[in-house]
């Protein structure tokens, strides 16, 4: 009884040391000099990426497209299949905490000739005619083998496999988030291309109006052939630009259809203008907000898995205790196979103590230590990169908004300049080059404004990814 108490006490001691609690990774990783990050305590809750996060753009056609995307996209289907593989691998590598139980049914036939042996006379009792003795045996056995997890070694192995699967699961969540964000970006690229196409069409109409005026005056002998050729040249350039925009829309439409698992017919419908509904960004963001990112959680899961595996490696040098047993029946008559009078059983126990393993246990332990150290480094580095990504996106958002304001003012000025130049041209007070230049500048400003608005949307999507799907904890 005293020996059993000692073993249980040792097992409890080793089990209590098998929980990962590395506080230096979880406190004060980063502090912003501006105080914009309120704290930096690690949050280990399993946050989920916000469902339907794209609703913030208030685009019904986008909402409909993403429903199809989630159902039909082949990259998502492949990711789900890969996750299932990871789950089954984790089950396979989880160790053997529970006993192995198997059953076996045997039917054996044998023939033996005892002629010329000491058993010849006894054999004649069963086979009066002499010759070979035929026999047939039926057996039914239930066997079991169980390694008693005294030290918690098998539990550590199971925990390591479980955490590895959780890491794969969170990586899958992040992959799903990344794939959906790419789909939303392509959608808005398509919408931007449609806006640019509409602008190119308006530009062509404007150049056509200018050419008609110049052509009429040229035919009247009021304008020179130089004005005529300049106007005609700009008109042809506008026509080429329109076709280029059509090609872009057609290509992005088919790309979007493939993402949705649809045939690339080029008929997919989207909104015609970019969404102006963008979520506001809080002035102060809690640092815990990035800890809900699935890739950060996955990185922490790898630490937990590596720590549990190291615990398993340390306990490999302890003795293992095994129980084996079997119960069944053996008879030469199949009808008696379930008869208790023919039952047989055995029960055994063994202890195996590793003495010489050619350094394999020590090598595995060193390998586990190295993998744990790598997981810790990767975890800290992933958090640093996450902060860097967020800061970059926040900075880009400010600069893009400033660009948009400047371009908006520039567009207003270029439009007024174009109208003034056109009026002066009609009165014969300026040349055609001034009109065409101001007209081109006006349409360029419009095109740049559309591009910057799309870049703002993409930057906001990237920021959503960096923050795990939303801008606040609520």
């Amino acid at each position: 009884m005293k020996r059993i108490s000692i073993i249980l006490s040792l097992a409890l001691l080793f089990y209590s040391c098998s929980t990962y609690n590395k506080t230096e990774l979880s406190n004060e990783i980063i502090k912003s000099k501006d105080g914009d990050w309120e704290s930096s305590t690690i949050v280990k809750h399993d946050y989920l990426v916000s469902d339907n996060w794209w609703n913030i753009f208030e685009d019904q056609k986008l909402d409909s497209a993403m429903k199809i995307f989630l159902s039909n996209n082949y990259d998502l289907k492949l990711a789900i299949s890969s996750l299932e593989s990871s789950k089954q691998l984790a089950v396979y590598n989880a160790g053997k905490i529970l006993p192995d139980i198997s059953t076996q049914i045997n039917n054996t036939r044998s023939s033996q000739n005892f002629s010329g042996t000491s058993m010849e006379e006894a054999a004649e009792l069963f086979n009066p005619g002499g010759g070979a003795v035929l026999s047939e045996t039926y057996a039914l056995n239930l066997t079991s083998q169980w390694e008693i997890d005294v030290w918690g070694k098998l539990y550590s192995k199971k925990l390591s496999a479980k955490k590895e699967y959780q890491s794969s699961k969170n990586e899958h969540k992040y992959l799903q988030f990344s794939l959906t964000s790419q789909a939303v970006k392509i959608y808005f690229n398509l919408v931007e291309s449609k806006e640019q196409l509409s602008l190119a069409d308006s530009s062509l109409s404007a150049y056509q109006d200018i050419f008609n005026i110049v052509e009429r005056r040229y035919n009247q002998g009021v304008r020179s052939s130089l004005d005529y050729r300049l106007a005609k040249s700009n008109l042809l350039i506008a026509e080429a630009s329109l076709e280029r925009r059509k090609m872009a829309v057609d290509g992005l439409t088919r790309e979007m259809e493939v993402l949705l698992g649809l045939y690339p017919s080029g008929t997919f419908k989207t909104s015609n203008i970019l969404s102006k509904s963008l979520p506001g960004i809080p002035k102060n963001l809690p640092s815990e907000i990035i800890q809900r990112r699935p890739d950060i959680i996955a990185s922490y899961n790898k630490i937990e898995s590596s720590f549990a595996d190291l615990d398993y490696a340390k306990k490999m040098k302890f003795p293992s205790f095994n129980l084996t047993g079997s119960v069944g029946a053996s008879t030469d008559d199949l009808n008696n196979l379930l008869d208790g009078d023919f039952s047989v059983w055995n029960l055994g126990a063994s202890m195996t103590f590793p003495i010489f393993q050619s350094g394999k246990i020590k090598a595995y332990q060193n390998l586990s230590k190295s993998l744990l150290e790598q997981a810790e480094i990767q975890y800290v580095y992933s958090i640093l990169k996450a902060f860097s990504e967020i800061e970059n996106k926040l900075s880009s958002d400010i600069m893009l908004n400033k660009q948009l304001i400047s371009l908006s003012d520039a567009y207003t000025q270029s439009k007024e300049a174009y109208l003034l130049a056109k009026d002066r041209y009609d009165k014969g007070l300026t040349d055609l080059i001034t009109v065409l230049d101001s007209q081109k500048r006006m349409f360029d400003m419009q095109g740049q404004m559309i591009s910057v608005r799309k870049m703002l949307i993409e930057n906001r999507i990237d920021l959503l990814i960096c923050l795990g799907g939303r801008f606040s904890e609520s």
Side-chain angles (χ1 to χ4, degrees), residues 5-200:
S5 299
I6 292 174
I7 291 175
L8 291 175
S9 299
L10 289 173
L12 181 61
L13 175 63
F14 283 106
Y15 178 78
S16 65
C17 297
S18 64
T19 304
Y20 186 78
N21 185 24
K22 203 159 182 66
T23 55
E24 58 265 33
L25 287 178
S26 61
N27 294 320
E28 303 298 327
I29 289 182
I30 294 177
K31 284 186 177 180
S32 171
K33 63 181 180 180
D34 298 326
D36 291 338
W37 300 102
E38 295 177 353
S39 70
S40 53
T41 303
I42 299 302
V43 179
K44 295 190 288 182
H45 301 297
D46 190 15
Y47 289 101
L48 295 177
V49 172
S50 298
D51 294 332
N52 303 332
W53 54 268
W54 49 85
N55 290 341
I56 60 176
F57 297 109
E58 298 181 1
D59 188 327
Q60 293 183 353
K61 291 185 178 179
L62 172 62
D63 297 342
S64 300
M66 293 310 296
K67 288 180 181 179
I68 301 174
F69 175 84
L70 293 176
S71 300
N72 293 356
N73 182 259
Y74 288 97
D75 286 329
L76 284 178
K77 291 179 180 180
L78 184 61
I80 293 173
S81 177
S82 177
L83 179 63
E84 181 62 24
S85 299
S86 299
K87 178 181 179 180
Q88 299 307 321
L89 183 62
V91 173
Y92 179 80
N93 292 331
K96 299 179 179 179
I97 292 183
L98 298 177
D100 290 336
I101 301 175
S102 59
T103 185
Q104 186 178 27
I105 301 176
N106 292 328
N107 173 227
T108 305
R109 293 184 179 185
S110 62
S111 174
Q112 189 169 2
N113 194 331
F114 294 97
S115 299
T117 67
S118 59
M119 299 292 295
E120 182 177 1
E121 293 182 1
E124 289 182 353
L125 297 175
F126 299 96
N127 189 17
V133 177
L134 300 176
S135 63
E136 186 172 10
T137 304
Y138 298 93
L140 174 64
N141 292 298
L142 185 68
T143 60
S144 175
Q145 183 175 356
W146 183 27
E147 180 179 351
I148 304 175
D149 194 21
V150 176
W151 316 109
K153 177 178 67 174
L154 299 181
Y155 172 78
S156 296
K157 187 67 174 177
K158 180 179 180 179
L159 180 61
S160 176
K162 178 182 178 181
K163 292 300 180 180
E164 188 66 30
Y165 169 64
Q166 287 180 355
S167 176
S168 298
K169 189 176 181 180
N170 283 303
E171 287 175 348
H172 169 265
K173 291 177 186 176
Y174 191 69
L175 174 61
Q176 181 182 16
F177 193 20
S178 298
L179 290 173
T180 53
S181 67
Q182 290 301 316
V184 174
K185 285 183 180 181
I186 292 175
Y187 176 88
F188 282 119
N189 281 338
L190 176 55
V191 176
E192 183 221 1
S193 291
K194 287 188 173 183
E195 275 204 68
Q196 296 285 9
L197 176 61
S198 177
L199 178 62

Side-chain angles (χ1 to χ4, degrees), residues 443-458:
F443 286 118
D444 285 347
M445 291 303 102
Q446 278 188 279
Q448 290 184 46
M449 286 174 60
I450 294 171
S451 296
V452 171
R453 283 170 49 213
K454 189 262 295 184
M455 291 169 64
L456 266 171
I457 292 175
E458 288 188 339

Side-chain angles (χ1 to χ4, degrees), residues 223-235:
R223 294 298 176 185
S224 66
S225 62
L226 177 60
D227 285 359
Y228 176 84
R229 295 183 186 281
L230 285 173
K232 183 65 173 180
S233 175
N234 278 5
L235 177 61

